[in-house]
Amino acid sequence: MRRWFRRKKIKNIEKATLREASEVAGQSTEALENQEAIELPEITAPETATPEEAASQLLSMATADGAISPEETGAATDMAPEPSEGLWNKGLPAEDNGTEFADELPPDLPAQKKGLFRRFRERLGRTREALTEGLDRLFVRRRVIDEELLEELEEVLITADLGVDTTLRLIEALRLKVKRRELNEVDRLKAVLKKEMVKGLAGPPPQEMTARPWVVLLVGVNGVGKTTTIAKLAHRDRLAGRQPLLVAADTFRAAAVEQLEIWGQRVGAEVIKQKSGADPAAVVFDGLTAALARQADIVYIDTAGRLHTRVNLMAELQKICRTAGKKLAGAPHEVLLVLDATTGQNALSQARLFQEAVGVSGLILTKLDGTAKGGVALAVNQEIGLPIRYVGIGEKLDDLKPFDPEAFVAAILG
């Protein structure tokens, strides 16, 4: 009887999660429909303005239009030094060694991952609290691992947004170990759970950049942070000594091109654009032509935010891919889907449909800071089978980090 009530409660949690996802999708639909009526404002700077004044005016006007949020505006002004200061000649900076949390570092964590652990731990505080508090309450005064304990652990994991299917896989793996007498002590349960989560997050290594230019198409729904993510990726390339080129193929959203131009100026990357309303595929063709002529190392294509339920807009992405392939064999070499971690389980449906439409090769999870839904990383990776390449843990340019399963799990489990 107790087991029946547990299952009933889990089903209720799942229904509430799906209801929340539907509400998010509905809000996105309304936002997209409202956008269709927006016309691109004319944004020009006085002829006598200095580059700094012009950039400041563009930022102000784009913020007023809602194209750039106040947080993004703040991040755009907190940029790296000019190229003349020699920043672009440096390699990627080494991560902090994590000594600030020396007493809390997992003893089995490799030294090179301790810096990532520190950053993840700082930004994933709410996820860690949701999991560790639940686990601590669960394990107190327990000495044996029984079915009741596993059922309660199942509930804790689901409420941390790991997803029902992913949680059931984890619990089944633990149950199997208990049955085989490989796990019989509560004190070891957390360590074994951590190991299973790391295993579930492990994916193939990033593709080797075998072509020049290497073409990366970024896709996703409205508001997930594609444009700012492109700027952060370009920033990493400049630090590594590569020459990025940005293609403004979002000709739909008001001031989207101007926003990308501002970011391009700040990170030192050229932006290829056309006028508002132009065919995105034509912009991509021009962008790849320019990349070949300028011998760019890597090309990032910014696309309009679109709902995964809009068939015509998804078809437009397919056209962009075909155009890129005609201009440069094998392009796009990577298709990265940007997902907003705060949407929780709604990210799963987005990933499935984008994967069907354009063959997504990897994921970028944004807005993991300040959310208790960091567990969605495990759910997306397990249920969609796509590797997570980067995670966004803040607004600054350096807050886009390569995803490391071991450091990530250590940070959320404490």
Side-chain angles (χ1 to χ4, degrees):
M1 182 62 72
R2 183 190 295 115
R3 185 179 180 84
W4 184 87
F5 279 112
R6 288 280 177 201
R7 294 292 178 184
K8 188 71 174 175
K9 191 170 184 180
I10 288 170
K11 287 294 182 184
N12 290 338
I13 292 170
E14 186 178 15
K15 288 178 182 178
T17 302
L18 292 173
R19 189 162 51 248
E20 177 189 352
S22 300
E23 291 171 358
V24 171
Q27 291 167 2
S28 298
T29 304
E30 184 179 354
L32 184 61
E33 289 171 348
N34 291 338
Q35 271 193 348
E36 292 174 351
I38 297 176
E39 294 185 1
L40 182 67
E42 183 152 349
I43 302 179
T44 56
E47 294 182 3
T48 57
T50 65
E52 292 78 8
E53 292 170 343
S56 177
Q57 182 187 17
L58 288 173
L59 271 172
S60 300
M61 297 184 73
T63 303
D65 261 358
I68 304 178
S69 69
E71 292 80 7
E72 291 174 324
T73 305
T77 58
D78 183 18
M79 297 294 169
E82 293 299 318
S84 60
E85 297 182 29
L87 178 63
W88 313 129
N89 297 324
K90 301 178 182 178
L92 281 170
E95 298 288 352
D96 297 332
N97 60 17
T99 53
E100 182 180 346
F101 295 96
D103 295 337
E104 304 174 28
L105 286 171
D108 56 343
L109 195 66
Q112 68 270 24
K113 298 184 179 183
K114 291 180 180 178
L116 271 177
F117 168 79
R118 184 187 70 81
R119 297 301 299 274
F120 284 153
R121 184 176 177 84
E122 285 178 351
R123 302 309 176 100
L124 294 169
R126 290 178 62 185
T127 300
R128 184 175 62 256
E129 289 171 10
L131 272 173
T132 55
E133 288 179 7
L135 293 177
D136 289 344
R137 286 195 304 269
L138 184 60
F139 295 161
V140 67
R141 293 190 300 275
R142 295 289 186 97
R143 293 188 177 182
V144 296
I145 302 174
D146 54 19
E147 190 61 30
E148 182 180 357
L149 174 61
L150 291 176
E151 288 178 359
E152 291 181 10
L153 176 60
E154 189 176 277
E155 185 178 328
V156 169
L157 296 179
I158 290 175
T159 54
D161 224 53
L162 268 71
V164 174
D165 291 342
T166 303
T167 297
L168 292 178
R169 287 195 196 101
L170 286 171
I171 295 299
E172 191 56 37
L174 295 176
R175 186 177 284 118
L176 188 60
K177 289 183 181 297
V178 172
K179 186 177 180 179
R180 292 175 176 173
R181 300 186 184 280
E182 297 173 8
L183 175 64
N184 50 26
E185 299 174 6
V186 173
D187 293 342
R188 289 191 57 237
L189 183 56
K190 189 172 181 180
V192 175
L193 175 63
K194 183 183 295 186
K195 186 177 180 180
E196 290 295 326
M197 291 175 73
V198 170
K199 187 192 300 184
L201 284 169
Q207 291 177 254
E208 185 179 349
M209 295 171 60
T210 55
R212 185 182 182 195
W214 186 257
V215 182
V216 182
L217 176 69
L218 278 89
V219 299
V221 301
N222 304 299
V224 295
K226 290 186 301 299
T227 305
T228 51
T229 297
I230 284 177
K232 293 173 183 178
L233 289 169
H235 175 65
R236 292 183 61 85
D237 286 319
R238 291 305 303 264
L239 290 174
R242 292 187 288 267
Q243 179 186 347
L245 184 140
L246 314 183
V247 178
D250 181 359
T251 59
F252 179 72
R253 179 169 61 89
V257 174
E258 286 77 6
Q259 181 186 358
L260 189 63
E261 280 189 296
I262 292 168
W263 282 110
Q265 291 170 10
R266 297 295 182 177
V267 302
E270 184 178 358
V271 177
I272 303 300
K273 62 176 184 176
Q274 287 189 18
K275 64 180 180 179
S276 175
D279 181 2
V283 182
V284 169
F285 186 89
D286 288 351
L288 294 185
T289 301
L292 291 167
R294 293 161 174 73
Q295 296 186 335
D297 295 309
I298 188 164
V299 176
Y300 293 108
I301 302 174
D302 189 19
T303 59
R306 64 203 69 226
L307 288 177
H308 47 291
T309 53
R310 292 294 187 91
V311 177
N312 60 324
L313 294 179
M314 297 299 275
E316 186 180 85
L317 278 181
Q318 295 169 345
K319 181 182 177 182
I320 288 175
C321 291
R322 290 195 301 270
T323 301
K326 289 178 182 177
K327 181 62 183 177
L328 186 65
H333 303 101
E334 284 188 271
V335 180
L336 298 180
L337 172 61
V338 184
L339 295 172
D340 180 348
T342 63
T343 60
Q345 296 300 299
N346 190 39
L348 294 175
S349 59
Q350 294 174 25
R352 289 190 183 100
L353 291 173
F354 274 101
Q355 167 73 335
E356 291 173 5
V358 290
V360 175
S361 57
L363 304 172
I364 299 178
L365 285 181
T366 62
K367 307 179 186 180
L368 272 173
D369 55 318
T371 173
K373 297 188 176 183
V376 73
L378 194 72
V380 170
N381 184 275
Q382 283 272 287
E383 298 184 31
I384 307 300
L386 291 171
I388 301 171
R389 295 302 183 206
Y390 295 93
V391 289
I393 54 175
E395 295 290 342
K396 296 181 180 179
L397 282 176
D398 291 330
D399 284 338
L400 185 71
K401 300 295 181 184
F403 182 70
D404 184 280
E406 198 169 352
F408 183 84
V409 172
I412 64 173
L413 280 185

